[in-house]
Amino acid sequence: MERRELGNSTSGNASGGQTVAELYAQVHESMENVSAGLSYDVIVIGVGSMGASACYHLAKRGCRVLGLEQHDIPHELGSHAGQSRIIRKAYGEAIGYVPLLERAYENWRTLESETGSRVYYETGLTYFGPPGSSFLQTVRESAEKHQIPLEHLSPEACRRKYPQFDIPAHFECLVEPEAGLLTPERSILLLVQEALKHGADIHCGEPVVEWGCQDGGVTVRTPRKTYRAGKLVITAGAWAPHLLPALTPRLQVTRQALAWVQPEDWERFTLGTFPCWHLEHKGYHFYGFPIMPDGTFGGPHGLKLALHHPGEVVTDPDTADRGPRKAEEQVLIEFLEKFLPKGYVRTLEMKTCLYTNTPDGHFVVDYLKGYGKDVVVAAGFSGHGFKFASVIGEVLADLALEGATPFPIDFLSADRFDS
Ligand SMILES: Cc1cc2nc3c(=O)[nH]c(=O)nc-3n(C[C@H](O)[C@H](O)[C@H](O)COP(=O)(O)OP(=O)(O)OC[C@H]3O[C@@H](n4cnc5c(N)ncnc54)[C@H](O)[C@@H]3O)c2cc1C
């Protein structure tokens, strides 16, 4: 496929590229200038985190791809909003993810070098937790098995290095220096921009209302048109239960609160001074980010933190109550007062984002049962998927175009819940 000449995202500012607002304007102008067909090699439903990456990898391989997004690109109603996402490799959820993470890091770097924009900020990540934490044990085991740099700090060293925290002396403190954060809005826009350059058609504001397989291909209907393709990739995030009835019993969508707060001393918590962090307290996992520069990455300006634990169940993402809740805010304030004593003066903003949880907290990346190899699904990212988007897109392109992937994804199969 011929490479389209579109605007270049490269710019030399200190934040590593265009602001999200600048990039948004440029990408949307490019999307409007693209002509639309009705027949494709592959259609991708949902151009959020995983779908944008799938479009990018498919288009790079010369495939005629159509990406259909019901909302804007990016938007705040799914799972990718909020300016930052942690990326780490010494994986506490399961060692089996590490090979995927190795490739995810590589692919994010490739996107950066192709676009001249920065999406990854290596802030380091500090893990705090009580002795006996199984999460920290898996972090240590992942690091050991895959030679991932991981430092173990004594309580004194931890206090010296991170005076912002007040950590109980019996807590373990681990530091993964090569971990950090990704900027989701910029990443998704860059993936879409590159996909467009490689000839993809991407439409936003066009919901898929029906899909099916017939005559050796797939048909996808939207309120505007009916499209046909050889293969279908479904990356619908919190809407996956609606599009994939077979997976509905396995996917539970929950609302998740995020807070941006004003700390006492702003400078001690900014990017370059303060790391990303993860703290386990009484079985609950809290995490947070340094303050990002204002106006560059989208989202509110302030010290961001959240609780990584499934929140209230949402039956329909279109009608979910996204308003701030006092009780959710209070949990975060109490946490700050206990562990980051100078971290809280007032709440600047609260937002709600959605998790799509599987029963075991692991993703589903597989062919959809009953459709041979025509329909590929990536769903159930259970609140920890963004860092993988760059490799999941590659895996989805493998599955759709090659019929198999060399990446180890057996543990993410859709039928693991059946037995
Ligand atoms: C508060 C919060 C914090 C998080 N923190 C981290 C973190 O630090 N690190 C990390 O790795 N991960 C994190 N995650 C998880 C990560 O963001 C998600 O796992 C990831 O974004 C899921 O990607 P997705 O593509 O499945 O969903 P999305 O990015 O939401 O994309 C799905 C897209 O499909 C579209 N769609 C759905 N149905 C249709 C349809 N019928 N027609 C057309 N389009 C459709 C939706 O509009 C949406 O844009 C966090 C998530 C939340 C909510």
Side-chain angles (χ1 to χ4, degrees):
M1 176 136 325
E2 203 175 303
R3 196 173 151 86
R4 284 187 190 130
E5 282 312 316
L6 303 176
N8 190 349
S9 67
T10 309
S11 109
N13 75 32
S15 302
Q18 291 167 300
T19 66
V20 163
E22 288 164 348
L23 195 51
Y24 175 91
Q26 190 172 299
V27 170
H28 281 257
E29 193 189 334
S30 304
M31 276 198 288
E32 280 163 22
N33 294 334
V34 161
S35 66
L38 290 177
S39 179
Y40 293 87
D41 296 325
V42 184
I43 295 176
V44 177
I45 305 181
V47 187
S49 324
M50 308 302 158
S53 177
C55 289
Y56 161 84
H57 283 282
L58 287 161
K60 261 181 99 171
R61 294 186 197 186
C63 157
R64 285 178 305 125
V65 56
L66 171 65
L68 293 168
E69 170 53 48
Q70 61 181 353
H71 293 303
D72 206 353
I73 300 176
H75 66 89
E76 292 211 342
L77 302 172
S79 306
H80 56 255
Q83 109 206 142
S84 48
R85 290 288 185 270
I86 287 176
I87 178 165
R88 52 194 158 85
K89 210 189 285 175
Y91 218 55
E93 283 81 349
I95 300 178
Y97 285 103
V98 179
L100 290 168
L101 285 162
E102 305 267 7
R103 183 62 164 194
Y105 268 81
E106 224 176 289
N107 286 353
W108 289 121
R109 293 284 190 216
T110 302
L111 180 68
E112 289 186 327
S113 64
E114 285 171 350
T115 60
S117 278
R118 195 162 170 200
V119 295
Y120 170 56
Y121 290 78
E122 193 178 274
T123 62
L125 173 73
T126 312
Y127 300 90
F128 303 107
S133 153
S134 63
F135 181 85
L136 290 189
Q137 186 178 328
T138 314
V139 167
R140 284 194 306 271
E141 287 169 4
S142 291
E144 202 170 313
K145 181 165 180 205
H146 293 278
Q147 288 92 47
I148 301 161
L150 188 71
E151 296 159 16
H152 199 138
L153 296 190
S154 67
E156 303 73 50
C158 174
R159 262 193 297 276
R160 268 198 312 277
K161 189 161 182 173
Y162 302 113
Q164 298 92 335
F165 290 95
D166 186 2
I167 301 297
H170 67 286
F171 265 39
E172 196 175 347
C173 172
L174 302 173
V175 180
E176 186 178 337
E178 292 174 8
L181 65 89
L182 293 159
T183 63
E185 288 88 352
R186 183 187 266 178
S187 302
I188 288 172
L189 285 165
L190 289 171
L191 288 166
V192 167
Q193 183 178 60
E194 289 304 293
L196 291 168
K197 282 184 186 169
H198 286 281
D201 288 351
I202 295 182
H203 306 172
C204 52
E206 189 168 356
V208 170
V209 292
E210 197 177 11
W211 66 268
C213 284
Q214 54 202 198
D215 310 328
V218 297
T219 304
V220 166
R221 192 167 65 78
T222 77
R224 288 188 215 155
K225 284 178 184 157
T226 298
Y227 304 94
R228 280 193 58 77
K231 306 279 178 179
L232 183 61
V233 172
I234 303 182
T235 46
W239 289 263
H242 294 260
L243 280 172
L244 297 161
L247 287 185
T248 307
R250 313 297 188 202
L251 301 175
Q252 187 178 63
V253 178
T254 53
R255 58 168 269 149
Q256 305 295 140
L258 295 162
W260 282 259
V261 306
Q262 181 183 330
E264 247 175 62
D265 180 354
W266 194 267
E267 290 311 315
R268 297 175 83 199
F269 294 95
T270 53
L271 183 69
T273 309
F274 190 60
C276 288
W277 55 269
H278 179 122
L279 195 152
E280 183 178 340
H281 174 51
K282 295 188 175 166
Y284 289 92
H285 295 253
F286 293 81
Y287 63 96
F289 301 82
I291 298 169
M292 301 296 281
D294 195 16
T296 305
F297 301 101
H301 191 209
L303 182 63
K304 177 182 160 186
L305 80 158
L307 169 62
H308 176 62
H309 186 80
E312 186 182 291
V313 173
V314 164
T315 46
D316 183 354
D318 292 321
T319 55
D321 167 19
R322 292 162 194 276
R325 300 255 177 91
K326 209 65 209 157
E328 290 168 342
E329 181 185 359
Q330 201 49 40
V331 168
L332 298 175
I333 295 174
E334 278 170 20
F335 172 87
L336 282 167
E337 286 172 347
K338 186 168 176 58
F339 293 105
L340 279 134
K342 293 198 186 310
Y344 187 77
V345 175
R346 67 189 176 103
T347 306
L348 298 169
E349 195 154 343
M350 297 281 298
K351 281 193 181 272
T352 303
C353 195
L354 302 176
Y355 278 4
T356 309
N357 305 287
T358 62
D360 60 7
H362 299 305
F363 318 152
V364 172
V365 182
D366 203 350
Y367 293 107
L368 188 62
K369 210 170 171 178
Y371 296 89
K373 292 193 168 181
D374 289 345
V375 182
V376 187
V377 174
F381 286 90
S382 306
H384 62 114
F386 193 84
K387 62 184 82 60
F388 294 87
S390 63
V391 64
I392 294 297
E394 183 176 3
V395 168
L396 295 172
D398 286 344
L399 295 177
L401 300 181
E402 314 298 336
T405 181
F407 292 99
I409 58 160
D410 285 354
F411 73 114
L412 306 177
S413 74
D415 60 11
R416 69 182 186 272
F417 305 114
D418 293 348
S419 51

